């Protein structure tokens, strides 16, 4: 069992929230909002690309957004950068180079910082990917989704299987670390078709795979017009098979949907799951920033043009939300992330990163252990095998 730490009580009987004595690692997220077209399953902040991509205006607004955020993170080292979207690979090589130069000028990037760029195979070019690598991109994440042309068409993707395979080659030539996003339980997909996609992805021997079960998210075309999906039994068979296949090929299943070769876990995403801090800049980007006496969440205006117009005014009107997280919400937020990791997190992280004593959640920890959902490890917060399989049930215990 996890030992009960000392807890201080305020007059009146409420638990005193201790100060954060050590700020967690800080990552940077940069959002590029444009796509050639929006996929029917996508609920991210993406918008159809205008006739002329406004790179110059976007970079000017990005600079203004970052400059206004600097006082919140002054002096803190940045451990990773993730350029996501949308489709960041729509940006020219010169635009990415200018962006990275700006980030280095303003922020103390860790020398070994992982710098990831998301890319769509339909926008992949060998010369452009090579230039990304020369600019300082260290990791490319490709949205493959499937190697089946019919499945890709049903998902609204702009690439075909041949383009997907070519893009993987371009990425592997450009950088050492390459992630492939592949989805399963697609509309009318058979178990054999799902396994073909996974086996094809494994054949490229990339350093990382992200294997996602298709979900029908609210406010998407698929939610409004649901396609015919595989049965729960078929979906479970797909998942069991892909877990075994990835293990057979030397991948560690270290997070719910993430599989990595040894030494190649996604550092940026891992920081999220360990309840680290992140500054998000760009339209619709979210931030979680810790201070000695509070934790703040922010979000930017979602519409790209509105964000660009407001950011350059430098009066913070580009912020759609800027609030201090209620102390009572922090335990669930922490556990929602930490329990996604197969090995969990050190128990000390809870107090270090929420500012609360572990005693706040100790009754729920004991309840989860009694149910067989949490590992009774003396120094880690970690789901059991059963708890990882029924992760939502385990996480919901901490809502109280």
């Amino acid at each position: 069992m996890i030992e009960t730490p000392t807890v201080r009580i305020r007059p009146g009987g409420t638990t005193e929230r201790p100060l954060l004595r050590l700020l967690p690692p800080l990552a940077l997220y940069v959002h590029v909002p444009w796509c050639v077209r929006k996929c029917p399953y996508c609920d991210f902040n993406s918008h159809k690309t205008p006739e002329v991509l406004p790179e110059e205006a976007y970079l000017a607004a990005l600079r203004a957004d970052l400059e206004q955020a600097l006082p919140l993170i002054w002096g803190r080292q940045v451990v990773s950068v993730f350029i996501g979207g949308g489709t960041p690979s729509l940006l020219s090589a010169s635009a990415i180079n200018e962006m990275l130069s700006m980030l280095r000028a303003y922020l103390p990037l860790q020398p070994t910082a992982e710098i990831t760029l998301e890319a769509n195979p339909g926008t992949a070019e060998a010369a452009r990917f090579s230039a990304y690598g020369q600019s300082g991109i260290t990791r490319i994440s490709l949205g493959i989704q499937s190697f089946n042309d019919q499945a890709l068409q049903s998902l609204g993707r702009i690439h075909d299987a041949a383009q997907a395979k070519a893009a993987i080659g371009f990425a592997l030539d450009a950088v050492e670390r390459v992630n492939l996003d592949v989805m399963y339980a697609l509309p009318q997909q058979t178990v054999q078709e799902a396994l073909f996609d996974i086996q094809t992805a494994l054949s490229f021997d990339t350093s990382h795979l992200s294997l996602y079960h298709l979900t029908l998210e609210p406010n998407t075309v698929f939610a409004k017009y649901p396609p015919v999906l595989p049965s729960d039994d078929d979906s479970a068979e797909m998942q069991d098979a892909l877990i075994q296949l990835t293990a057979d090929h030397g991948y560690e299943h270290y997070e719910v949907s993430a599989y990595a070769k040894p030494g190649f876990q996604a550092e940026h995403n891992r920081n999220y799951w360990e309840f680290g801090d992140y500054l998000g800049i760009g339209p619709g980007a979210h931030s979680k920033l810790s201070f000695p006496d509070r934790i703040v969440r922010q979000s930017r205006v979602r519409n790209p043009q509105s964000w660009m117009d407001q950011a350059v005014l430098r009066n913070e009107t580009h912020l759609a939300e800027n609030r201090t997280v209620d102390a009572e919400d922090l335990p669930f937020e922490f556990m929602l992330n930490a329990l996604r990791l197969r090995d969990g997190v050190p128990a000390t992280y809870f107090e270090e990163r929420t500012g609360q004593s572990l005693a706040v959640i100790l009754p729920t920890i004991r309840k989860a252990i009694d149910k067989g959902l949490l590992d009774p490890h003396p120094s880690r917060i970690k789901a059991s095998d059963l708890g990882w399989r029924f992760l939502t049930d385990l996480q919901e215990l901490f809502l109280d």
Side-chain angles (χ1 to χ4, degrees):
M1 289 289 292
I2 296 173
E3 293 184 4
T4 305
T6 302
V7 59
R8 295 175 290 170
I9 304 296
R10 285 181 178 164
T14 59
T15 303
E16 180 182 352
R17 180 182 173 194
L19 300 180
L20 273 70
R21 293 183 289 272
L22 181 68
L23 298 184
L26 173 68
L28 176 72
Y29 175 77
V30 181
H31 192 71
V32 180
W34 297 289
C35 284
V36 174
R37 68 168 177 246
K38 189 156 182 103
C39 298
Y41 60 85
C42 177
D43 68 338
F44 295 126
N45 185 36
S46 59
H47 302 260
K48 182 176 173 54
T49 307
E51 199 168 311
V52 178
L53 198 64
E55 287 187 342
E56 185 176 340
Y58 169 76
L59 289 170
L62 202 65
R63 181 184 298 272
D65 193 345
L66 179 57
E67 287 177 348
Q68 292 172 84
L70 285 178
L72 302 176
I73 59 168
W74 200 255
R76 296 181 63 180
Q77 192 172 57
V78 174
V79 299
S80 65
V81 177
F82 194 101
I83 306 168
T87 307
S89 55
L90 286 171
L91 294 178
S92 65
S94 61
I96 292 295
N97 185 63
E98 183 178 342
M99 179 193 298
L100 293 180
S101 296
M102 175 185 66
L103 298 181
R104 294 189 190 98
Y106 282 103
L107 300 169
L109 291 184
Q110 198 174 67
T112 58
E114 173 191 272
I115 303 178
T116 301
L117 181 133
E118 283 188 329
N120 187 312
T123 63
E125 299 172 0
R128 182 180 293 192
F129 276 26
S130 177
Y132 291 158
Q134 293 170 15
S135 295
I137 298 297
T138 65
R139 184 174 180 270
I140 291 176
S141 181
L142 284 168
I144 301 297
Q145 314 314 354
S146 177
F147 293 95
N148 180 307
D149 285 344
Q150 185 174 352
L152 289 169
Q153 187 174 8
S154 73
L155 292 173
R157 303 297 289 173
I158 64 170
H159 67 276
D160 58 23
Q163 289 173 306
K165 294 174 183 178
I168 296 171
F170 299 156
L172 288 169
D173 287 342
V175 296
E176 179 186 12
R177 304 167 73 97
V178 175
N179 170 65
L180 306 182
D181 279 355
V182 179
M183 301 173 73
Y184 64 97
L186 304 179
Q188 299 183 336
Q189 187 180 48
T190 66
V191 173
Q192 292 72 27
E193 288 170 338
L195 295 186
F196 170 80
D197 278 346
I198 304 304
Q199 289 166 336
T200 304
L202 288 167
S203 71
F204 290 95
D205 200 36
T206 58
S207 60
H208 195 282
L209 296 171
S210 298
L211 307 178
Y212 299 102
H213 188 295
L214 174 65
T215 55
L216 305 186
E217 301 291 350
N219 302 315
T220 63
V221 173
F222 273 3
K224 188 174 182 179
Y225 305 103
V228 178
L229 299 178
S231 67
D232 290 344
D233 287 344
D234 282 351
S235 296
E237 185 176 346
M238 294 174 190
Q239 184 177 32
D240 290 343
L242 70 86
I243 289 172
Q244 186 60 55
L245 280 170
T246 50
D248 292 344
H249 283 75
Y251 288 84
E252 176 193 7
H253 185 192
Y254 71 98
E255 189 271 342
V256 172
S257 303
Y259 304 75
K261 290 290 185 69
F264 288 95
Q265 293 186 6
E267 297 301 326
H268 186 88
N269 290 347
R270 189 176 182 93
N271 186 57
Y272 290 146
W273 300 319
E274 292 179 343
F275 213 54
D277 278 358
Y278 48 93
L279 171 66
I281 57 175
H286 289 252
S287 302
K288 170 193 166 278
L289 300 172
S290 298
F291 301 87
D293 60 344
R294 68 195 187 283
I295 294 175
V296 170
R297 288 198 179 275
Q298 295 180 335
S299 65
R300 270 61 178 163
V301 170
R302 290 174 58 88
N303 180 273
Q305 189 60 55
S306 297
W307 167 80
M308 288 190 290
D309 291 343
Q310 297 301 320
V312 296
L313 296 177
R314 302 176 188 273
N315 59 8
E316 296 192 352
T317 54
H318 66 299
L319 297 180
E321 179 186 46
N322 187 16
R323 65 179 177 88
T324 298
V325 182
D326 290 339
E328 63 186 14
D329 294 333
L330 287 172
F332 176 68
E333 289 195 13
F334 178 90
M335 300 301 282
L336 188 67
N337 287 279
L339 291 173
R340 290 181 64 91
L341 288 168
R342 189 67 188 91
D343 291 334
V345 298
T348 55
Y349 276 17
F350 181 79
E351 182 167 346
E352 290 174 4
R353 300 188 178 186
T354 69
Q356 299 186 13
S357 167
L358 193 64
V360 172
I361 59 168
L362 198 60
T364 309
I365 286 177
R366 288 175 175 147
K367 181 179 179 181
I369 291 173
D370 290 344
K371 288 177 175 287
L373 299 176
L374 205 64
D375 193 323
H377 196 286
S379 60
R380 294 192 74 81
I381 298 173
K382 173 187 175 185
S384 65
D385 290 343
L386 180 66
W388 219 43
R389 191 166 186 87
F390 296 95
L391 185 59
T392 300
D393 294 333
L394 172 57
Q395 290 166 329
E396 287 179 350
L397 290 177
F398 293 89
L399 273 172
D400 295 333

